[in-house]
Amino acid sequence: MIVVKDRTFEKFICYEDILERIAILAGNIDEDYKDRKPLFIAVLNGSFMFAADLLKEISLNCEISFIKVASYEEMESTGNVRQLIGLNENIFKRDVIIIEDIIDTGRTMLKILEEFKSLGANSIEVVTLFSKPGAVIIQEHLKYIGFELPEAFVLGYGLDYDGQGRNLKDLYKLKD
Ligand code: 5GP
């Protein structure tokens, strides 16, 4: 068990199991994109560890880039707007694979998908390491899922609690 700020977390999924699952996801992507050169776009900050471990297992000719979505809280003054920052690549006619750490309600990904669709990508798929039950709203594009989680707050392997805990190698779950 570990304590981060005022909360206690227990180990949930260990790094070795995460890596094993990532190798399988990468194998599936390699197979599905055999004759294409996909553009991976990782959603920061949470996906930085997953993106690094996933890309090391991909054998395709590919590119990777990074975007950020300004969160709800940060945008409070302007209402419930979520803004996509940092997309410098031209995604017109590209085969895009979005890399996300976790999908909870699916609203963040819905916003990203909306924007990407308007930019004329040839195809858009999502690979997420973790998904919660709410992710069904983007099912159509959610082709690759690492682990389906229950409704619980998780931490580690890139995911934070109030800015901390991203460096933890394993995934932890909030102890209730
Ligand atoms: P959604 O828009 O799908 O509800 O939320 C997606 C974002 O919320 C994720 O990219 C992540 O930043 C954050 N999030 C959702 N669930 C969790 C969780 O259990 N732990 C952490 N650390 N972040 C989460």
Side-chain angles (χ1 to χ4, degrees):
M1 268 190 316
I2 54 157
V3 175
V4 175
K5 298 193 97 170
D6 54 341
R7 298 295 171 105
T8 308
F9 295 84
E10 57 191 352
K11 203 178 274 191
F12 189 35
I13 303 176
C14 70
Y15 184 51
E16 289 69 29
D17 290 351
I18 292 174
L19 284 185
E20 206 173 288
R21 186 74 189 116
I22 288 176
I24 293 168
L25 290 176
N28 293 340
I29 293 172
D30 274 351
E31 180 65 27
D32 294 348
Y33 287 80
K34 264 200 292 272
D35 307 314
R36 292 182 279 174
K37 194 179 81 178
L39 169 62
F40 288 92
I41 297 181
V43 185
L44 295 173
N45 296 323
S47 73
F48 78 99
M49 278 202 189
F50 175 42
D53 283 336
L54 178 71
L55 265 286
K56 281 183 258 179
E57 298 293 330
I58 295 282
S59 318
L60 299 163
N61 281 326
C62 63
E63 293 167 39
I64 182 160
S65 187
F66 303 87
I67 57 164
K68 242 180 151 161
V69 180
S71 79
Y72 214 76
E73 292 77 20
E74 285 162 14
M75 300 295 291
E76 218 161 42
S77 56
T78 51
N80 300 344
V81 184
R82 287 173 189 219
Q83 200 188 346
L84 219 149
I85 305 167
L87 183 64
N88 301 318
E89 274 65 28
N90 185 355
I91 67 167
F92 187 66
K93 296 224 162 116
R94 295 298 307 267
D95 292 302
V96 174
I97 304 176
I98 303 170
I99 303 178
E100 180 62 295
D101 47 358
I102 186 164
I103 296 176
D104 182 3
T105 64
R107 275 180 302 194
T108 306
M109 191 50 68
L110 210 53
K111 165 78 186 164
I112 296 171
L113 287 169
E114 231 169 63
E115 201 138 334
F116 278 21
K117 278 181 191 166
S118 73
L119 295 172
N122 182 51
S123 67
I124 309 171
E125 299 292 352
V126 177
V127 53
T128 188
L129 184 55
F130 306 112
S131 81
K132 292 190 192 174
V136 290
I137 64 164
I138 56 145
Q139 208 162 31
E140 184 197 341
H141 290 277
L142 195 44
K143 194 156 183 194
Y144 308 99
I145 300 175
F147 299 87
E148 297 197 28
L149 306 183
E151 283 293 354
F153 186 80
V154 291
L155 170 85
Y157 197 71
L159 291 159
D160 73 313
Y161 168 48
D162 203 12
Q164 294 183 28
R166 291 194 197 275
N167 56 309
L168 297 164
K169 212 168 175 178
D170 307 295
L171 189 77
Y172 290 78
K173 183 160 78 97
L174 182 64
K175 201 167 150 42
D176 37 34

